[in-house]
């Protein structure tokens, strides 16, 4: 691609963490707690380990093609026809995900803050904003995100410490009363959200130093895991597993009960900051992946003309995607993790990786020869930097 | 960007503060005949709250709150009916207090709590309480130090002399396995003394009589004990002394005063102020039945001594500590007897403690916990220590 965009590993990591976390922590604790009860925090750990596995696949895949994005290297691996089919599937995934997030962004604001505002108002406004960001490219999104990330993290930390006095950690016991089964079931949903780091495959080709791919994925997954763990523990300890599973947005309700010394109260604005900041990054990133993927798919030199049409599609898609938020929660508990984990976040990347290894595609030949050099010594980094040019 | 700037700062569902009627307290009753809900709202009158603080609570003209009441099959329906009476939009975001009449509470409160937990404006931190009689009367009560009854009750609760239960706590207790909810009970009482004493004398004309009636203190809200629930239905009450015992059992607010007779002069008394304490409940299984050990540790300071005691001697202090422990144990046992045998409601959450220790056994026990709980064996271990005895060692004695 003609674009000469470069982002640092910190920018990439923060983008991915913010994308997953901010939206994850509002909805996920309820769904996970419903399945795993007081063991929900174990589910978070299991999901993080699952996430590490996925991150491993993505890392290996990206390391083979450090300067190509998902759609480019699927063509390299599978050939023009099958590669295009896979690319098309991913385009669908990006659009679907973007529509889901845009809609739930609007729904959250309507349900919890502005009940009289129709949801399309939020949908259109956020889509216009995101369109503007995508139009300006990845570097802009990455820079804006650092600002948002600071706000999101600050909110999470403030909320955790201010609710600390309402927490009763005995709510987290007994441990494993029902065995591992509910824990694993509860971990599917957060895992599906962590798996969204597959979008990293669309942006990490812009990493200034491709040797840092592994670091990005590792830090992202562990960072998300820690934040998720902390939020689940906080919410379950505060409300107890039963009440938590009844709540639609436990993270929000957690901020609503903050009352310190009768004057630090009503801090829902923090939850709103968290949600709006995180959701915006997520929408931008998925939207970006969708638009640039489409451009790649249609072999366009400049993806910018696609931003507008894609935005219009997203608005309509978001409006019709489900009728009621409960529909989404129902869809999100089992069908959604199954659908994304088996295909876009797990199955397809694994398939691509296996085929790439079998067909010896990509620049990881040297990695295979001496597996010890995985821990990027500068020599192998440089050689990997040089390889893709040869491939193209 | 200009378009966005024009669009985004507007708020669709904006409400200015002077368009709102801020609800301070909510009272819920069940109508005797129709079984409909009666919703009573105490609404702040901003003008009299700010400008008229000095006269707050004096005379019906300057009352800082306005009380409206309406009925409906659901709470929300009742608010819609009330909306026709209130010139401003009702705003629930600052509701401090939810009082429920006992008639409603006996019928079950989970239906009415749904509205407050589901709706967006009411906060989960509003205090929940129950009254014998009508909730409406509590809201209409008088507040002497604070400007509104709602604030008065809010401050009473925060002083932690009784149980403190907010909506979130109540819902958690209701939904959690192996525990029954409890909420503070609020009642009306004439508290405080009138400044103007009724003068003795032949002043029997009409004017004087009226004056006296005016100077009688109107009833004020007061925390009178605890309401006990089974599932979501009110089943019984604890008085104030028993409430203290319940607080110790639950390991919640542990402050308070204990007055015990002097060891050597039983007629004289001494008072200990409890500074801190902890409660530990350990479940175990003995002969196939659940058994609980409740260990209560308390630390207190000596506050007042009415009898000559050699307080300089450590032995005396140890003796007092034992006395102190015996008294506490008696009170805790009294409370426990009442909730275990009389009402059979597990408001302490023994079942939950058992579940956390023995999750598998609890599965068998849970469905019939209501029948098992009155029979469980409980062992109390009360340990007390007296840390300080104030500025004096031995009590002051006159010269002989």
């Amino acid at each position: 691609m003609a674009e000469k965009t470069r982002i640092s590993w910190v920018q990439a990591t923060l983008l991915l963490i913010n994308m997953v976390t901010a939206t994850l922590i509002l909805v996920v604790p309820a769904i996970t707690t419903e399945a795993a009860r007081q063991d929900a925090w174990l589910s978070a750990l299991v999901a993080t380990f699952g996430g590490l596995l996925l991150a491993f696949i993505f890392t290996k895949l990206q390391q083979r093609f450090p300067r190509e994005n998902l759609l480019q290297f699927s063509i390299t691996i599978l050939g023009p026809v099958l590669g295009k089919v896979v690319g098309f599937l991913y385009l669908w995934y990006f659009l679907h995900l973007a529509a889901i997030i845009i809609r739930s962004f609007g729904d959250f604001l309507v349900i919890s803050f502005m009940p009289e505002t129709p949801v399309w108002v939020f949908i259109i406004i956020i889509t216009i904003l995101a369109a503007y960001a995508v139009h300006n490219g990845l570097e802009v999104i990455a820079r804006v995100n650092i600002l948002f990330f600071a706000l999101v993290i600050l909110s999470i930390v403030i909320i955790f410490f201010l609710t600390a006095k309402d927490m009763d950690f005995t709510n987290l016991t007994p441990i494993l009363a029902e065995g591992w089964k509910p824990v694993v079931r509860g971990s599917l949903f957060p895992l599906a959200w962590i798996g969204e780091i597959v979008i990293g495959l669309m942006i990490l080709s812009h990493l200034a130093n491709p040797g840092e791919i592994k670091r990005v994925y590792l830090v992202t997954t562990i960072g998300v895991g820690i934040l998720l763990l902390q939020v689940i523990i906080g919410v379950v300890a505060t409300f107890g597993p039963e009440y938590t599973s009844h709540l639609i947005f436990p993270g929000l309700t957690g901020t609503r009960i903050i009352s310190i010394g009768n004057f630090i109260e009503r801090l829902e604005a923090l939850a709103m900051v968290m949600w709006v900041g995180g959701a915006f990054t997520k929408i931008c990133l998925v939207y970006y992946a969708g638009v640039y993927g489409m451009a790649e798919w249609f072999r366009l030199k400049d993806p910018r003309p696609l931003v507008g049409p894609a935005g219009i599609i997203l608005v309509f898609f978001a409006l019709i995607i489900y009728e009621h938020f409960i529909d989404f929660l129902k869809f999100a508990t089992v069908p959604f993790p199954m659908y994304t984990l088996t295909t876009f976040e797990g199955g397809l990347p694994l398939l691509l990786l296996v085929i790439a290894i079998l067909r010896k595609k990509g620049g990881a030949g040297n990695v295979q020869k001496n597996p010890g050099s995985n821990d990027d010594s500068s020599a192998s980094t440089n050689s990997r930097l040089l390889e893709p040019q040869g491939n193209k | 960007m200009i378009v966005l700037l024009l669009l985004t700062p507007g708020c669709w569902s904006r409400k200015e503060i002077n368009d709102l009627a801020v609800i301070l307290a909510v009272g819920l009753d069940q109508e005797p005949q129709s079984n409909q809900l009666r919703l009573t709202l105490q609404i702040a009158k901003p003008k009299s709250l700010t400008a008229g603080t000095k006269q707050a609570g004096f005379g019906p003209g300057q009352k800082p709150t306005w009380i409206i009441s309406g009925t409906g099959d659901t709470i929300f329906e009742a608010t819609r009916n009330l909306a026709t009476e209130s010139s401003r939009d009702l705003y629930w975001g600052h509701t401090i207090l939810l009082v429920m009449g006992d008639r409603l509470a006996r019928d079950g409160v989970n239906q009415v709590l749904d509205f407050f937990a589901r709706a967006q404006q009411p906060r989960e931190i509003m205090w929940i309480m129950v009254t014998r009689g009508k909730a409406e009367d509590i809201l209409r009560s008088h507040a002497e130090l604070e400007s509104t009854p709602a604030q008065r009750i809010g401050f009473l609760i925060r002083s932690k002399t009784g149980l403190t239960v907010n909506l979130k706590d109540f819902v958690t207790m209701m939904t959690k396995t192996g525990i029954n909810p409890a909420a503070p009970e609020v009642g009306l009482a004439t508290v405080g003394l009138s400044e103007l004493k009724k003068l003795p004398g032949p002043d029997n004309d009409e004017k004087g009589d009226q004056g006296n009636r005016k100077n009688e203190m109107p009833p004020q809200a007061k925390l009178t004990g605890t309401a006990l629930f089974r599932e979501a239905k009110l089943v019984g009450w604890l008085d104030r002394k028993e409430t203290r015992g319940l607080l110790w059992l639950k390991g919640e607010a542990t402050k308070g005063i204990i007055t015990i007779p002097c060891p050597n002069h039983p007629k004289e008394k001494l008072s200990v102020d409890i500074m801190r304490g902890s409660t530990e409940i350990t479940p175990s299984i003995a002969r196939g039945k659940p058994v609980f050990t409740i260990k209560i540790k308390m630390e207190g300071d000596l506050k007042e001594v009415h009898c000559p005691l050699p307080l300089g001697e450590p032995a005396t202090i140890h003796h007092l500590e034992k006395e102190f422990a015996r008294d506490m144990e008696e009170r805790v046992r009294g409370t426990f007897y009442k909730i275990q045998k009389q009402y059979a409601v597990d408001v302490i959450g023994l079942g939950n403690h058992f579940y956390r220790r023995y999750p598998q056994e609890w599965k068998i026990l849970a469905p019939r916990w209501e029948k098992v709980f009155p029979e469980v064996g409980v062992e109390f271990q009360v340990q007390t220590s007296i840390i300080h005895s104030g500025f004096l060692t031995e009590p002051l004695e006159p010269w002989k």
Side-chain angles (χ1 to χ4, degrees), chain B residues 368-379:
Chain B
R368 45 192 190 92
W369 181 241
E370 209 176 293
K371 296 210 174 56
V372 177
F373 175 67
E375 305 300 324
V376 297
V378 173
E379 191 198 333

Side-chain angles (χ1 to χ4, degrees), chain A residues 113 171 173 177 256 266 268, chain B residues 93 120 122-124 356 360:
Chain A
F113 296 105
N171 279 333
T173 56
R256 287 165 60 96
R266 306 170 209 285
E268 290 103 302
Chain B
Q120 163 225 10
R123 307 288 154 131
E124 285 79 358
R356 293 209 305 264
Q360 301 307 325

Side-chain angles (χ1 to χ4, degrees), chain B residues 205-369:
Chain B
D205 60 62
E206 227 180 86
K207 200 184 158 202
D209 225 336
Q210 229 175 18
N212 280 335
R213 218 182 309 135
K214 221 179 211 170
N215 289 326
E216 245 172 48
M217 294 294 283
Q220 302 194 45
K222 183 184 167 190
L223 296 182
T224 46
T226 307
L228 306 173
F229 289 78
R230 180 178 298 124
E231 280 149 22
K233 291 188 170 74
L234 173 70
V235 289
W237 309 91
L238 293 181
D239 65 20
R240 277 177 63 199
K241 209 172 166 188
E242 291 156 349
T243 300
R244 181 58 50 72
L246 178 67
L247 289 175
W248 290 334
L249 280 170
K250 283 173 82 96
E252 274 183 18
T254 40
K255 294 197 172 177
I257 291 166
I258 283 207
T259 301
I260 50 175
C262 289
N264 45 0
H265 302 80
K267 273 188 188 164
E268 306 285 331
K269 305 278 187 211
L270 55 86
S271 281
V272 180
D273 188 14
I274 299 167
M275 300 308 286
R276 58 191 73 82
S278 64
T279 305
E280 196 183 309
I281 299 178
T282 322
S284 52
I285 299 178
R287 277 181 251 108
K289 283 183 176 166
V291 180
F292 296 88
T293 311
I294 302 180
K295 201 187 259 177
I296 302 175
K297 276 187 193 163
M298 288 290 162
E299 283 176 16
D301 288 357
L302 220 53
K303 285 287 167 177
E304 192 174 340
V305 183
H306 282 184
C307 48
L309 269 181
L311 283 173
E313 294 292 319
T316 321
I317 299 286
H318 287 311
H319 191 79
L320 284 181
E321 282 171 352
K322 265 187 205 143
E323 251 338 90
F324 172 29
R326 199 187 49 77
D327 191 79
M328 279 197 60
E329 191 177 328
E330 219 166 73
R331 286 172 73 166
V332 166
R333 272 182 195 282
T335 308
F336 192 76
Y337 182 83
K338 206 157 181 185
I339 60 174
Q340 189 192 24
K341 302 284 185 194
Q342 193 176 337
Y343 296 119
V345 286
D346 184 6
V347 288
I348 312 164
L350 290 186
N352 192 266
H353 281 278
F354 188 78
Y355 160 64
R356 293 209 305 264
R357 181 80 181 271
Y358 303 103
Q360 301 307 325
E361 289 82 349
W362 173 252
K363 269 187 216 155
I364 311 159
L365 219 50
R368 45 192 190 92
W369 181 241

Side-chain angles (χ1 to χ4, degrees), chain B residues 8-29:
Chain B
T8 42
C11 304
W12 196 290
S13 21
R14 87 179 183 291
K15 276 166 194 156
E16 303 298 335
I17 183 96
N18 46 10
D19 295 336
L20 294 177
V22 177
I23 300 169
L24 291 176
V26 183
L28 284 173
D29 288 300

Side-chain angles (χ1 to χ4, degrees), chain A residues 181-327:
Chain A
K181 226 172 125 187
V183 174
V184 173
R185 202 150 40 88
S187 71
L188 279 182
F189 184 64
L191 180 59
W193 284 53
I194 294 176
E196 283 166 7
I197 53 175
V198 70
I199 286 173
L201 294 178
M202 291 298 291
I203 62 167
L204 289 188
S205 55
H206 298 301
L207 214 53
N209 177 3
E212 288 165 334
I213 292 168
K214 188 173 160 190
R215 189 189 290 176
V216 169
Y217 273 122
L218 205 62
V219 175
T220 301
T221 318
I222 290 174
V224 168
I226 290 172
L227 289 170
L228 176 66
L229 188 67
Q230 178 233 297
V231 169
I232 286 188
I233 287 179
V235 167
V236 175
T238 311
F239 295 108
E242 289 84 4
Y243 190 15
T244 308
S245 59
H246 283 273
L247 294 167
I248 276 196
F249 302 121
L252 173 72
T253 313
T255 63
R256 287 165 60 96
I257 61 149
I258 292 174
S259 172
I260 309 273
N262 202 13
F263 67 93
I264 305 179
E265 283 181 353
R266 306 170 209 285
L267 298 176
E268 290 103 302
L270 286 180
M272 182 128 135
V273 165
M274 216 160 73
W275 176 256
V276 174
F280 179 71
T281 299
K282 187 161 191 171
I283 293 167
C284 285
L285 215 54
V286 187
Y287 193 168
Y288 171 89
V291 166
Y292 280 71
M294 259 194 271
E296 190 59 45
W297 206 76
F298 291 120
R299 293 190 174 285
L300 294 181
K301 281 233 164 58
D302 185 8
R304 277 177 210 165
L306 287 175
V307 172
I312 292 169
I313 294 174
L314 283 180
V315 167
F316 283 103
F317 200 10
L319 283 171
I320 58 164
I321 194 160
Y322 52 81
E323 274 185 36
H324 191 279
F325 198 70
I326 300 288
D327 294 341

